[in-house]
Amino acid sequence: MARAGSSQQHIEVCEMAKLFIEDEFKYNFLLSPLVGRFPFQSHSTNTWFQLPSRTGEKETNEDLCDVNIINLVTKETHQAASSISDLVSEDEGNIVLFHGTDHESARDILSRGIDLCAGRQKRDFSCGSGFYLTSSLDDSLTWAKSTTAKPAVLMFQVNQSGYLDDARTLNLNENEERWREIVSSFRSDKLTAKTQKSLRAYDLIEGPVATVTTSETSDELVFEPKPSSYQMCLISDDFADKFRQTLHSIMFLDIGNTVELC
């Protein structure tokens, strides 16, 4: 098993190695022989199902039963799109957002909620405390496949008026100067006290995904917004707890191939 690097997300070599080792201990059969093929109902593949309700459980169990789940076995990642096209859709009042991760993390989000502190270091809009979503299924799946042998994609169907209209949003889609300031601060792990204080006023940050190159005249990293890209980062614990209620579906994948670590 191996992983693919990503210039778009710019996973540093040392971090990539750490992710690889962590993933091996989670999912390599020789190291974790008790780990199943899928977290739920491994016998049920390529068809949607919901978890059975349990009498006497707390109210949170009702939320689990409302979420659609599929264990998708495929070598063609485009099958993921066709599997959700009839299940999750956008309209005037709702948008669909995706979060790519691994099986265990997806299971934890389903059962325990969104933990912002589980975020990775030196990302575009956060450093260790953030939860990322994208409007692109392909981007979320590419990210998941690049970091784990057991990719999963969570799909959130978000009511615009019920969740986003009242959210305290820092919109960087049309403010490239502010976007560069935020991305450079987080990516270099040099967030100033002033910037950190200003961000406490927001529930989420949205804007383009950063592409990363190295300057031709120095070793400094250069960040540019990727055209036509979009990402949302939740940075408020209270809002993340509320946002968890929009979880609509989870796709656990068994891709059945390997990629190279680079």
Side-chain angles (χ1 to χ4, degrees):
M1 180 192 70
R3 306 288 174 271
S6 171
S7 60
Q8 176 181 313
Q9 296 292 344
H10 186 66
I11 307 176
E12 296 179 354
V13 174
C14 57
E15 182 182 0
M16 197 69 238
K18 180 181 178 182
L19 292 175
F20 176 80
I21 293 171
E22 290 176 349
D23 205 65
E24 285 287 280
F25 276 98
K26 278 185 181 180
Y27 302 119
N28 188 306
F29 178 77
L30 297 178
L31 299 174
S32 302
L34 299 181
V35 174
R37 189 180 190 185
F38 297 105
F40 305 104
Q41 300 185 21
S42 292
H43 62 280
S44 178
T45 59
N46 296 359
T47 185
W48 291 98
F49 62 88
Q50 293 182 331
L51 297 178
S53 60
R54 298 178 182 177
T55 57
E57 292 281 344
K58 296 181 180 180
E59 291 182 1
T60 52
N61 185 60
E62 296 179 3
D63 295 334
L64 306 187
C65 300
D66 291 337
V67 176
N68 302 288
I69 298 173
I70 190 171
N71 299 324
L72 186 63
V73 181
T74 179
K75 292 185 178 181
E76 304 294 336
T77 54
H78 65 76
Q79 187 176 342
S82 61
S83 296
I84 69 168
S85 59
D86 295 330
L87 187 69
V88 186
S89 60
E90 293 189 354
D91 54 40
E92 292 184 358
N94 297 280
I95 63 171
V96 178
L97 297 172
F98 304 93
H99 175 79
T101 186
D102 65 283
H103 284 196
E104 183 177 305
S105 298
R107 182 193 62 198
D108 288 345
I109 292 169
L110 173 64
S111 59
R112 302 176 188 174
I114 297 171
D115 180 8
L116 296 186
C117 292
R120 303 196 187 283
Q121 301 293 318
K122 298 182 181 180
R123 301 272 67 88
D124 289 352
F125 302 149
S126 65
C127 190
S129 183
F131 183 81
Y132 284 82
L133 302 119
T134 174
S135 55
S136 169
L137 172 62
D138 287 342
D139 286 351
S140 64
L141 184 55
T142 297
W143 166 257
K145 288 173 57 185
S146 73
T147 57
T148 179
K150 293 283 191 177
V153 176
L154 292 86
M155 290 148 278
F156 297 82
Q157 191 168 43
V158 187
N159 181 271
Q160 188 79 29
S161 61
Y163 290 90
L164 298 182
D165 285 352
D166 295 331
R168 300 173 300 168
T169 302
L170 176 57
N171 189 336
L172 301 177
N173 285 302
E174 305 298 333
N175 191 340
E176 189 168 322
E177 181 179 353
R178 179 66 164 155
W179 178 90
R180 290 183 186 279
E181 175 193 343
I182 296 295
V183 172
S184 298
S185 297
F186 279 119
R187 284 289 190 170
S188 63
D189 197 17
K190 296 179 180 178
L191 194 66
T192 65
K194 180 180 179 181
T195 301
Q196 192 170 13
K197 182 179 179 180
S198 69
L199 294 179
R200 294 192 188 119
Y202 298 102
D203 295 318
L204 62 92
I205 305 173
E206 60 180 358
V209 175
T211 59
V212 187
T213 57
T214 303
S215 172
E216 295 180 357
T217 58
S218 68
D219 292 332
E220 293 184 359
L221 297 177
V222 178
F223 306 103
E224 296 292 341
K226 181 184 178 182
S228 303
S229 66
Y230 173 82
Q231 62 182 338
M232 175 189 292
C233 178
L234 310 186
I235 58 174
S236 160
D237 286 314
D238 289 341
F239 185 77
D241 288 342
K242 179 181 178 182
F243 193 88
R244 158 62 182 82
Q245 300 171 15
T246 69
L247 180 59
H248 182 279
S249 311
I250 303 179
M251 180 180 295
F252 296 99
L253 292 108
D254 184 346
I255 301 295
N257 60 3
T258 59
V259 289
E260 294 182 356
L261 174 64
C262 57

